[in-house]
Amino acid sequence: MDDIFGIPAPLLFGQLLLGLINGAFYALLSLGLAVIFGMLNVINFAHGAQFMMGAFVAWMLLEYAGLNYWWALILAPLLVGVFGVILERTMIARLYKLDHLYGLLLTFGLGLIIEGIFRNQYGSSGLPYRIPPQLSGAWDLGFMYMPVYRGWVVAVAVVMCIGTWLVIEKTKIGSYLRASTENAALVQAFGINVPRLMTLTYGAGVALAAFAGVLAAPIYSVNPQMGSNLIIIVFAVVVIGGMGSILGSVITGFGLGIIEGLTKVFYPEASATVIFVVMAIVLLARPAGLFGRA
Amino acid sequence: MSIQRRTLLSAAAAAPLAGGLSRKARAQANTIKIGVLTDMSGPYRDLAGPGSLRAVQMAVQESGITGRGVTVEIVSADHQNRPDVGSTVARQWFDRDGVDAIIDVPTSSVALAVNGVTREKNKVFLNSGAAASDLTGSACSPNTIHWTYDTWMLASSTGGAMVRAGGQSWFFVTADYAFGHALERDTSEFVRNAGGRVVGSVRTPFPGTTDFSAFLLQAQASRAQVIGLANAGGDTINTIKQAAEFGITRGGRTKLAGLLVFITDVHSLGLQTAQGLVLTETYYWDLNDKMRGVATRMNLPNGAKPSMVQAGCYSAVLHYLKAVGDMGVAAAKASGIEAVNKMKAMPTEDDAFGAGSIRADGRKIHPAYLLEVKQPSESRGAWDYYKLLSTTAADQAFRPLAQGGCALVR
């Protein structure tokens, strides 16, 4: 088989595909962050903890209620979304008029507290959660052995990203949302309940994080720090894509997944840092991000 | 009685005020302070963390030293797996808080940092949680005892078993820090000496890597017979989970060698995923009545059983307090080297590790157990996870004294 830059082609294809799969997680998570920032102007640092909650709720549903993965895929985002709504109503809503920094600090603290509670209750080494039988097994692609479940993750992530984008760009409720970010007072004057819109947006963003958490449960260790491991990368993705840009964060998520995947072949030690190198370059060249409005 | 008189005298000499002996000074002179420095919030929390603290408390109770007029104070801190945090805490404890001995310290990079600080301050460092064999090799110190296990022991036991079973070519997936490097180095040496080959390795960033599939595919592409996992905790769990998902071991040509797998990791993986894994521990709660007794008395939350690291904290503190009782509190506080020498001079004996001893290079020696993870059908329930394959005697289990390159031995 041919070599590309000294790496056997099948290995390179495999890594590109894996990069795409990881990119799907980045895209899903940064999508929720971008929605929340775009509409609420809050940098939601509790996003990682909410992602982790999604995975834990999936585990709890199975453990305590006997509800399988498919139920979890629907129920966990709903439950965690409701939790997000409560957070927004009781705490975050009070900070909209203040600087971004306050929302960031509050959600950062909330994230740490949530993580701490789960760590106290369930320890740090994680809980077992199995791939649903319908999605276990794998396809032999010739150049690699592709687990069915990973294919499912990419497909679902793409559908969710397109769906979210359509809701915001093409529906009436999306137009209300976009209008209220531009001028909330004016939209309110037209008789639209802007605070409720904000609450629902936050709930939806959190639900997206939890949804990604359920998707991650069968393949990553379900442990309290699973979110904080990912969230820093996801923030970099959002910054590179342009804060608040939905399309930007989705494209950047997939793109950076691939860049990271390639780094894992050529220089594995740098695979945790390559995204931040890209972030630094983008910030210097285009401070508003690749798809952001300056 | 003589102990008390001596400590009173030394306390009087140390009392800064001419007015005489304050009650506080007298109390401090007769107090041993133990600092449990461990991972309270990260990936090693379950195998060390609060359980290690509990183990130390149990050792203090069972030592009986408090019945002889000695007070033992225990403090604990989270080192967050960061060498800078670990050495800062160690300095504060020694300089400001009067800590005499630091216990546990999982994460080799932090352990090596604390090793240096302890030597500089002439205190005592009883390491249970870290693996790097450098602690009794190039970095050995007269103030440090490496208690529970190390990378050489794991390489020789688990690695040796894999080579004997026909695994001649190896590829390593290595956590990119002191521990992973040491484990890869020690295992590679072992594989080569046994006539095997190392065909490659990949260094994975630590902490912060969650997806190991990319590295596993590289390992698979190398066509090695054994993929050696030179990582620990959550990294090992993710690697094993994803290896199963990507069918890395399907067909039986490639085997996974979990070079450092703790019982807490097996618990987290579940037997369905972990079954058949061969690993090495120096303590397993269900091996004999004495070991079961340790687990029962430790009584960890949620029915958890002690890891070998937690059992090691218990055993180390028990022996340390025995030495303190023998030499006197004042002498033990005055010089960490003397306290460690005293510990080395006495044979060790406890329920968790049985009879053992401490070598000149600071290596505590005891038997190592090669274990296999049970199939779900063989297990009676949670924490009934291992079958004993073989036992390596204490004098065979660890690196021979002359080979470590420890300056204390030459």
Side-chain angles (χ1 to χ4, degrees):
Chain A
M1 194 70 78
D2 290 351
D3 283 10
I4 301 170
F5 301 124
I7 305 285
L11 183 59
L12 200 62
F13 291 143
Q15 299 293 349
L16 283 175
L17 199 57
L18 286 177
L20 205 64
I21 296 165
N22 284 335
F25 278 108
Y26 298 157
L28 258 186
L29 280 170
S30 52
L31 179 67
L33 270 181
V35 167
I36 292 172
F37 181 77
M39 304 302 154
L40 277 68
N41 261 340
V42 165
I43 303 170
N44 184 31
F45 252 86
H47 215 67
Q50 287 150 351
F51 164 78
M52 176 271 288
M53 282 177 78
F56 266 90
V57 170
W59 178 85
M60 287 175 202
L61 287 172
L62 184 69
E63 187 76 9
Y64 303 127
L67 294 172
N68 66 18
Y69 175 82
W70 303 103
W71 281 107
L73 216 46
I74 300 163
L75 288 178
L78 275 180
L79 291 170
V80 182
V82 168
F83 173 76
V85 165
I86 295 170
L87 284 187
E88 198 273 348
R89 275 294 83 201
T90 52
M91 289 180 247
I92 297 166
R94 294 159 196 269
L95 300 177
Y96 290 150
K97 292 196 172 57
L98 301 173
D99 193 83
H100 294 331
L101 201 60
Y102 290 90
L104 183 152
L105 288 174
L106 175 71
T107 50
F108 184 61
L110 286 173
L112 289 180
I113 292 169
I114 296 169
E115 222 181 277
I117 291 171
F118 276 85
R119 191 182 298 124
N120 247 0
Q121 206 57 38
Y122 296 101
S124 66
S125 52
L127 304 162
Y129 194 87
R130 302 197 52 211
I131 294 175
Q134 297 88 336
L135 296 174
S136 57
W139 298 301
D140 201 338
L141 302 181
F143 60 90
M144 74 175 284
Y145 190 73
M146 169 79 177
V148 175
Y149 189 81
R150 300 267 173 156
W152 156 255
V153 167
V154 175
V156 173
V158 168
V159 169
M160 284 305 266
C161 291
I162 294 174
T164 310
W165 184 78
L166 283 178
V167 166
I168 289 175
E169 296 293 330
K170 304 288 174 202
T171 65
K172 198 161 205 176
I173 192 151
S175 66
Y176 291 165
L177 270 174
R178 279 178 291 131
S180 47
T181 38
E182 293 294 330
N183 192 335
L186 198 63
V187 176
Q188 191 130 27
F190 283 119
I192 292 161
N193 189 342
V194 172
R196 183 178 298 161
L197 212 53
M198 300 270 211
T199 308
L200 290 178
T201 307
Y202 188 77
V206 171
L208 273 175
F211 185 80
V214 182
L215 284 182
I219 48 179
Y220 297 143
S221 163
V222 179
N223 65 51
Q225 57 275 0
M226 66 189 288
S228 44
N229 287 342
L230 265 179
I231 200 66
I232 307 289
I233 295 176
V234 172
F235 269 102
V237 169
V238 174
V239 171
I240 295 167
M243 295 293 293
S245 161
I246 289 169
L247 203 61
S249 64
V250 172
I251 294 172
T252 319
F254 280 103
L256 285 179
I258 290 172
I259 290 177
E260 194 191 47
L262 290 178
T263 316
K264 282 179 176 171
V265 188
F266 291 107
Y267 190 54
E269 289 89 334
S271 59
T273 30
V274 64
I275 286 179
F276 302 101
V277 174
V278 175
M279 181 178 88
I281 295 169
V282 168
L283 281 178
L284 287 173
R286 279 184 65 99
L290 293 177
F291 298 84
R293 286 166 294 175
Chain B
M1 280 321 279
S2 70
I3 296 168
Q4 271 190 335
R5 197 181 316 132
R6 210 165 42 219
T7 51
L8 276 173
L9 284 173
S10 70
L17 295 172
L21 207 55
S22 78
R23 180 173 286 176
K24 194 179 170 205
R26 193 166 53 216
Q28 274 174 351
N30 222 5
T31 298
I32 284 288
K33 202 160 180 178
I34 296 175
V36 183
L37 183 58
T38 187
D39 178 5
M40 289 288 187
S41 58
Y44 307 139
R45 182 185 196 268
D46 287 0
L47 63 93
S52 290
L53 180 59
R54 168 77 196 106
V56 171
Q57 288 161 344
M58 174 169 133
V60 172
Q61 281 160 13
E62 293 187 7
S63 72
I65 198 166
T66 45
R68 284 179 278 153
V70 178
T71 316
V72 182
E73 268 182 48
I74 304 170
V75 290
S76 67
D78 182 9
H79 63 41
Q80 300 168 28
N81 298 314
R82 285 166 48 191
D84 54 328
V85 175
S87 50
T88 306
V89 173
R91 272 179 206 287
Q92 276 180 6
W93 273 358
F94 291 145
D95 290 343
R96 194 189 65 193
D97 303 337
V99 165
D100 301 298
I102 290 184
I103 317 293
D104 200 9
V105 196
T107 312
S108 295
S109 46
V110 189
L112 288 165
V114 172
N115 183 51
V117 177
T118 312
R119 184 172 195 171
E120 183 192 319
K121 305 286 180 191
N122 192 16
K123 302 287 183 181
V124 176
F125 178 29
L126 306 176
N127 185 288
S128 181
S133 59
D134 306 55
L135 280 170
T136 54
S138 56
C140 77
S141 146
N143 298 76
T144 297
I145 299 176
H146 198 186
W147 205 269
T148 309
Y149 70 105
D150 68 24
T151 49
W152 195 96
M153 179 279 276
L154 296 168
S156 140
S157 178
T158 313
M162 297 302 283
V163 175
R164 280 195 301 278
Q168 289 294 310
S169 56
W170 285 61
F171 187 99
F172 289 97
V173 175
T174 305
D176 195 11
Y177 73 109
F179 150 70
H181 299 171
L183 188 49
E184 181 188 331
R185 178 198 63 211
D186 288 351
T187 314
S188 300
E189 200 183 300
F190 206 89
V191 168
R192 286 197 195 98
N193 288 343
R197 284 178 308 129
V198 177
V199 296
S201 76
V202 60
R203 300 270 165 97
T204 68
F206 174 89
T209 305
T210 45
D211 189 61
F212 288 86
S213 48
F215 306 122
L216 285 166
L217 285 196
Q218 293 179 41
Q220 196 180 32
S222 77
R223 308 207 148 270
Q225 290 164 313
V226 179
I227 301 175
L229 309 184
N231 50 21
D235 283 0
T236 308
I237 293 169
N238 272 330
T239 321
I240 294 173
K241 222 174 161 175
Q242 290 158 14
E245 189 195 353
F246 279 83
I248 299 294
T249 55
R250 102 204 116 102
R253 217 191 74 85
T254 311
K255 286 201 173 72
L256 280 191
L259 294 169
L260 178 51
V261 179
F262 294 98
I263 191 164
T264 43
D265 300 334
V266 173
H267 185 69
S268 166
L269 279 165
L271 288 184
Q272 191 65 41
T273 312
Q275 58 181 314
L277 211 59
V278 172
L279 53 92
T280 303
E281 301 231 43
T282 52
Y283 167 88
Y284 170 50
W285 70 275
D286 206 13
L287 279 182
N288 60 43
D289 280 340
K290 286 185 171 176
M291 292 190 184
R292 276 187 286 273
V294 171
T296 311
R297 298 200 301 278
M298 212 177 285
N299 191 21
L300 295 175
N302 304 322
K305 299 297 177 189
S307 69
M308 64 170 164
V309 170
Q310 291 155 349
C313 290
Y314 162 76
S315 161
V317 171
L318 207 57
H319 191 65
Y320 171 63
L321 292 178
K322 236 181 253 176
V324 170
D326 249 38
M327 69 195 296
V329 174
K333 288 178 86 74
S335 164
I337 293 183
E338 287 310 312
V340 166
N341 283 343
K342 183 77 198 168
M343 292 175 76
K344 286 177 181 171
M346 302 161 69
T348 63
E349 171 71 59
D350 59 71
D351 287 355
F353 297 91
S357 60
I358 302 161
R359 292 192 318 208
D361 60 354
R363 181 67 252 166
K364 155 84 160 74
I365 61 170
H366 41 241
Y369 307 102
L370 188 69
L371 305 155
E372 187 184 317
V373 178
K374 288 182 172 177
Q375 290 168 12
S377 59
E378 295 172 305
S379 168
R380 296 188 307 270
W383 302 101
D384 176 26
Y385 292 152
Y386 295 155
K387 286 184 290 199
L388 179 66
L389 294 181
S390 65
T391 305
T392 311
D395 57 339
Q396 300 292 315
F398 292 91
R399 181 175 57 203
L401 193 55
Q403 288 176 20
C406 167
L408 298 172
V409 180
R410 267 176 262 148

